[in-house]
Amino acid sequence: MDTSQQTLNKYQRIYQVVCLIPPGQVATYGDIARFANLPRHARLVGYALHALPENSDVPWQRVINHQGRISLGRLYPEGEQRQRAALEAEGVVFGENGRVNLKRYRWQPDPFLLDAFFNPPHPGPEQST
DNA sequence: CCGTTGACGTAAT
DNA sequence: AATTACGCCAACG
């Protein structure tokens, strides 16, 4: 078995969960890790998102840290502005301190939806239109 | 192979 | 509320 395949599987699972975040809402890295059945792997979520290509459809912008702040700015200040602009375009409002009110915008997925997502009755959960 | 780093989180101080 | 310490684990040199 190829361990890199396992890693890809983890990344893919992370990406899938991120894709479930509705526009105008946000999730923390820890949330994504938890929903992806990878508890305490928040850093892995960050690493996975870092590895995303530019043309990806994954709404990586909706993932912020537990303080309600944009973590991307630590390394890429331009990326922070980009992420903030994208979120504001979805209706997410930033406070004076540059933070998002997680009480209001934090995504709370339906447990049944997640269960159905990880245990699809039929292969291809994204097949339907 | 080992030490450091990193789009993090939680708890303690 | 801000800082420190620690845990976590893949990627990098």
Side-chain angles (χ1 to χ4, degrees), chain A residues 43 60 71 74-75:
Chain A
R43 311 191 76 148
W60 56 268
S71 296
R74 189 178 64 184
L75 270 79

PDB file of all heavy atoms in Angstrom, chain A residues 43 60 71 74-75, chain B residues 6-10:
ATOM      1  N   ARG A  43      -3.678  21.420  11.717  1.00  0.00           N
ATOM      2  CA  ARG A  43      -2.533  21.860  10.912  1.00  0.00           C
ATOM      3  C   ARG A  43      -2.509  21.169   9.566  1.00  0.00           C
ATOM      4  O   ARG A  43      -2.064  21.735   8.569  1.00  0.00           O
ATOM      5  CB  ARG A  43      -1.223  21.582  11.644  1.00  0.00           C
ATOM      6  CG  ARG A  43      -1.227  22.060  13.064  1.00  0.00           C
ATOM      7  CD  ARG A  43       0.149  22.003  13.643  1.00  0.00           C
ATOM      8  NE  ARG A  43       0.931  23.102  13.117  1.00  0.00           N
ATOM      9  CZ  ARG A  43       1.876  23.707  13.793  1.00  0.00           C
ATOM     10  NH1 ARG A  43       2.165  23.310  15.000  1.00  0.00           N
ATOM     11  NH2 ARG A  43       2.549  24.684  13.270  1.00  0.00           N
ATOM     12  N   TRP A  60     -11.624  27.536  -0.264  1.00  0.00           N
ATOM     13  CA  TRP A  60     -10.641  27.593   0.820  1.00  0.00           C
ATOM     14  C   TRP A  60     -10.766  28.891   1.619  1.00  0.00           C
ATOM     15  O   TRP A  60     -10.368  28.981   2.763  1.00  0.00           O
ATOM     16  CB  TRP A  60      -9.250  27.491   0.226  1.00  0.00           C
ATOM     17  CG  TRP A  60      -8.960  28.532  -0.799  1.00  0.00           C
ATOM     18  CD1 TRP A  60      -9.155  28.423  -2.142  1.00  0.00           C
ATOM     19  CD2 TRP A  60      -8.444  29.844  -0.573  1.00  0.00           C
ATOM     20  NE1 TRP A  60      -8.778  29.580  -2.768  1.00  0.00           N
ATOM     21  CE2 TRP A  60      -8.339  30.479  -1.824  1.00  0.00           C
ATOM     22  CE3 TRP A  60      -8.035  30.550   0.563  1.00  0.00           C
ATOM     23  CZ2 TRP A  60      -7.857  31.790  -1.966  1.00  0.00           C
ATOM     24  CZ3 TRP A  60      -7.567  31.836   0.435  1.00  0.00           C
ATOM     25  CH2 TRP A  60      -7.479  32.448  -0.829  1.00  0.00           C
ATOM     26  N   SER A  71      -5.647  33.281   8.831  1.00  0.00           N
ATOM     27  CA  SER A  71      -4.305  32.791   9.154  1.00  0.00           C
ATOM     28  C   SER A  71      -3.342  32.949   8.000  1.00  0.00           C
ATOM     29  O   SER A  71      -2.131  32.934   8.186  1.00  0.00           O
ATOM     30  CB  SER A  71      -4.379  31.317   9.554  1.00  0.00           C
ATOM     31  OG  SER A  71      -5.128  31.162  10.731  1.00  0.00           O
ATOM     32  N   ARG A  74      -0.249  35.409   7.863  1.00  0.00           N
ATOM     33  CA  ARG A  74       1.029  35.252   8.556  1.00  0.00           C
ATOM     34  C   ARG A  74       2.186  35.154   7.568  1.00  0.00           C
ATOM     35  O   ARG A  74       3.254  35.681   7.787  1.00  0.00           O
ATOM     36  CB  ARG A  74       0.981  34.003   9.429  1.00  0.00           C
ATOM     37  CG  ARG A  74       2.175  33.889  10.345  1.00  0.00           C
ATOM     38  CD  ARG A  74       2.075  32.668  11.216  1.00  0.00           C
ATOM     39  NE  ARG A  74       2.096  31.441  10.439  1.00  0.00           N
ATOM     40  CZ  ARG A  74       1.950  30.245  10.975  1.00  0.00           C
ATOM     41  NH1 ARG A  74       1.726  30.120  12.252  1.00  0.00           N
ATOM     42  NH2 ARG A  74       1.999  29.179  10.209  1.00  0.00           N
ATOM     43  N   LEU A  75       1.911  34.456   6.463  1.00  0.00           N
ATOM     44  CA  LEU A  75       2.954  34.306   5.453  1.00  0.00           C
ATOM     45  C   LEU A  75       2.700  35.175   4.221  1.00  0.00           C
ATOM     46  O   LEU A  75       3.628  35.696   3.633  1.00  0.00           O
ATOM     47  CB  LEU A  75       3.055  32.848   5.004  1.00  0.00           C
ATOM     48  CG  LEU A  75       4.011  31.969   5.794  1.00  0.00           C
ATOM     49  CD1 LEU A  75       3.391  31.537   7.097  1.00  0.00           C
ATOM     50  CD2 LEU A  75       4.405  30.784   4.971  1.00  0.00           C
TER      51      LEU A  75
ATOM     52  P    DG B   6       7.753  28.668   8.807  1.00  0.00           P
ATOM     53  OP1  DG B   6       8.021  29.473   7.610  1.00  0.00           O
ATOM     54  OP2  DG B   6       7.781  29.280  10.135  1.00  0.00           O
ATOM     55  O5'  DG B   6       6.325  27.965   8.617  1.00  0.00           O
ATOM     56  C5'  DG B   6       6.023  27.275   7.413  1.00  0.00           C
ATOM     57  C4'  DG B   6       4.699  26.563   7.556  1.00  0.00           C
ATOM     58  O4'  DG B   6       4.861  25.457   8.443  1.00  0.00           O
ATOM     59  C3'  DG B   6       3.581  27.439   8.135  1.00  0.00           C
ATOM     60  O3'  DG B   6       2.393  27.303   7.363  1.00  0.00           O
ATOM     61  C2'  DG B   6       3.391  26.895   9.535  1.00  0.00           C
ATOM     62  C1'  DG B   6       3.777  25.432   9.338  1.00  0.00           C
ATOM     63  N9   DG B   6       4.202  24.768  10.559  1.00  0.00           N
ATOM     64  C8   DG B   6       4.922  25.288  11.595  1.00  0.00           C
ATOM     65  N7   DG B   6       5.146  24.444  12.564  1.00  0.00           N
ATOM     66  C5   DG B   6       4.536  23.280  12.139  1.00  0.00           C
ATOM     67  C6   DG B   6       4.430  22.002  12.745  1.00  0.00           C
ATOM     68  O6   DG B   6       4.875  21.644  13.837  1.00  0.00           O
ATOM     69  N1   DG B   6       3.709  21.116  11.964  1.00  0.00           N
ATOM     70  C2   DG B   6       3.165  21.397  10.742  1.00  0.00           C
ATOM     71  N2   DG B   6       2.518  20.412  10.130  1.00  0.00           N
ATOM     72  N3   DG B   6       3.257  22.578  10.151  1.00  0.00           N
ATOM     73  C4   DG B   6       3.943  23.463  10.897  1.00  0.00           C
ATOM     74  P    DA B   7       2.203  28.545   6.325  1.00  0.00           P
ATOM     75  OP1  DA B   7       2.472  28.188   4.932  1.00  0.00           O
ATOM     76  OP2  DA B   7       2.948  29.644   6.961  1.00  0.00           O
ATOM     77  O5'  DA B   7       0.636  28.769   6.424  1.00  0.00           O
ATOM     78  C5'  DA B   7       0.124  29.861   7.154  1.00  0.00           C
ATOM     79  C4'  DA B   7      -1.350  29.644   7.386  1.00  0.00           C
ATOM     80  O4'  DA B   7      -2.051  29.793   6.132  1.00  0.00           O
ATOM     81  C3'  DA B   7      -1.706  28.270   7.944  1.00  0.00           C
ATOM     82  O3'  DA B   7      -2.579  28.424   9.032  1.00  0.00           O
ATOM     83  C2'  DA B   7      -2.394  27.574   6.782  1.00  0.00           C
ATOM     84  C1'  DA B   7      -3.023  28.765   6.042  1.00  0.00           C
ATOM     85  N9   DA B   7      -3.263  28.486   4.624  1.00  0.00           N
ATOM     86  C8   DA B   7      -2.437  27.839   3.747  1.00  0.00           C
ATOM     87  N7   DA B   7      -2.916  27.744   2.539  1.00  0.00           N
ATOM     88  C5   DA B   7      -4.164  28.373   2.610  1.00  0.00           C
ATOM     89  C6   DA B   7      -5.176  28.598   1.694  1.00  0.00           C
ATOM     90  N6   DA B   7      -5.101  28.212   0.428  1.00  0.00           N
ATOM     91  N1   DA B   7      -6.273  29.238   2.114  1.00  0.00           N
ATOM     92  C2   DA B   7      -6.339  29.625   3.383  1.00  0.00           C
ATOM     93  N3   DA B   7      -5.446  29.473   4.356  1.00  0.00           N
ATOM     94  C4   DA B   7      -4.377  28.840   3.903  1.00  0.00           C
ATOM     95  P    DC B   8      -2.049  28.569  10.522  1.00  0.00           P
ATOM     96  OP1  DC B   8      -2.581  29.818  10.998  1.00  0.00           O
ATOM     97  OP2  DC B   8      -0.616  28.272  10.610  1.00  0.00           O
ATOM     98  O5'  DC B   8      -2.834  27.406  11.259  1.00  0.00           O
ATOM     99  C5'  DC B   8      -3.953  26.766  10.714  1.00  0.00           C
ATOM    100  C4'  DC B   8      -4.643  25.950  11.798  1.00  0.00           C
ATOM    101  O4'  DC B   8      -3.641  25.186  12.472  1.00  0.00           O
ATOM    102  C3'  DC B   8      -5.332  26.806  12.858  1.00  0.00           C
ATOM    103  O3'  DC B   8      -6.592  26.217  13.174  1.00  0.00           O
ATOM    104  C2'  DC B   8      -4.395  26.760  14.038  1.00  0.00           C
ATOM    105  C1'  DC B   8      -3.760  25.395  13.866  1.00  0.00           C
ATOM    106  N1   DC B   8      -2.430  25.343  14.486  1.00  0.00           N
ATOM    107  C2   DC B   8      -2.213  24.426  15.503  1.00  0.00           C
ATOM    108  O2   DC B   8      -3.116  23.658  15.846  1.00  0.00           O
ATOM    109  N3   DC B   8      -1.001  24.408  16.103  1.00  0.00           N
ATOM    110  C4   DC B   8      -0.037  25.238  15.711  1.00  0.00           C
ATOM    111  N4   DC B   8       1.126  25.171  16.317  1.00  0.00           N
ATOM    112  C5   DC B   8      -0.245  26.159  14.661  1.00  0.00           C
ATOM    113  C6   DC B   8      -1.436  26.191  14.081  1.00  0.00           C
ATOM    114  P    DG B   9      -7.493  26.847  14.311  1.00  0.00           P
ATOM    115  OP1  DG B   9      -8.899  26.636  13.910  1.00  0.00           O
ATOM    116  OP2  DG B   9      -7.013  28.210  14.631  1.00  0.00           O
ATOM    117  O5'  DG B   9      -7.188  25.885  15.542  1.00  0.00           O
ATOM    118  C5'  DG B   9      -7.451  24.494  15.396  1.00  0.00           C
ATOM    119  C4'  DG B   9      -7.497  23.805  16.756  1.00  0.00           C
ATOM    120  O4'  DG B   9      -6.170  23.686  17.272  1.00  0.00           O
ATOM    121  C3'  DG B   9      -8.309  24.586  17.782  1.00  0.00           C
ATOM    122  O3'  DG B   9      -9.086  23.680  18.557  1.00  0.00           O
ATOM    123  C2'  DG B   9      -7.251  25.294  18.608  1.00  0.00           C
ATOM    124  C1'  DG B   9      -6.065  24.346  18.526  1.00  0.00           C
ATOM    125  N9   DG B   9      -4.772  25.039  18.546  1.00  0.00           N
ATOM    126  C8   DG B   9      -4.386  26.102  17.775  1.00  0.00           C
ATOM    127  N7   DG B   9      -3.162  26.499  17.999  1.00  0.00           N
ATOM    128  C5   DG B   9      -2.716  25.631  18.984  1.00  0.00           C
ATOM    129  C6   DG B   9      -1.454  25.565  19.645  1.00  0.00           C
ATOM    130  O6   DG B   9      -0.469  26.273  19.481  1.00  0.00           O
ATOM    131  N1   DG B   9      -1.429  24.545  20.582  1.00  0.00           N
ATOM    132  C2   DG B   9      -2.466  23.692  20.850  1.00  0.00           C
ATOM    133  N2   DG B   9      -2.241  22.776  21.789  1.00  0.00           N
ATOM    134  N3   DG B   9      -3.631  23.747  20.242  1.00  0.00           N
ATOM    135  C4   DG B   9      -3.690  24.733  19.330  1.00  0.00           C
ATOM    136  P    DT B  10     -10.109  24.219  19.650  1.00  0.00           P
ATOM    137  OP1  DT B  10     -11.302  23.360  19.565  1.00  0.00           O
ATOM    138  OP2  DT B  10     -10.221  25.680  19.533  1.00  0.00           O
ATOM    139  O5'  DT B  10      -9.393  23.916  21.042  1.00  0.00           O
ATOM    140  C5'  DT B  10      -8.897  22.610  21.296  1.00  0.00           C
ATOM    141  C4'  DT B  10      -8.086  22.604  22.569  1.00  0.00           C
ATOM    142  O4'  DT B  10      -6.813  23.223  22.331  1.00  0.00           O
ATOM    143  C3'  DT B  10      -8.751  23.361  23.721  1.00  0.00           C
ATOM    144  O3'  DT B  10      -8.851  22.492  24.841  1.00  0.00           O
ATOM    145  C2'  DT B  10      -7.818  24.537  23.986  1.00  0.00           C
ATOM    146  C1'  DT B  10      -6.497  24.054  23.433  1.00  0.00           C
ATOM    147  N1   DT B  10      -5.597  25.112  22.936  1.00  0.00           N
ATOM    148  C2   DT B  10      -4.287  25.123  23.355  1.00  0.00           C
ATOM    149  O2   DT B  10      -3.834  24.294  24.127  1.00  0.00           O
ATOM    150  N3   DT B  10      -3.518  26.133  22.832  1.00  0.00           N
ATOM    151  C4   DT B  10      -3.926  27.110  21.960  1.00  0.00           C
ATOM    152  O4   DT B  10      -3.144  27.969  21.566  1.00  0.00           O
ATOM    153  C5   DT B  10      -5.308  27.046  21.552  1.00  0.00           C
ATOM    154  C7   DT B  10      -5.859  28.055  20.602  1.00  0.00           C
ATOM    155  C6   DT B  10      -6.073  26.051  22.056  1.00  0.00           C
TER     156       DT B  10
END
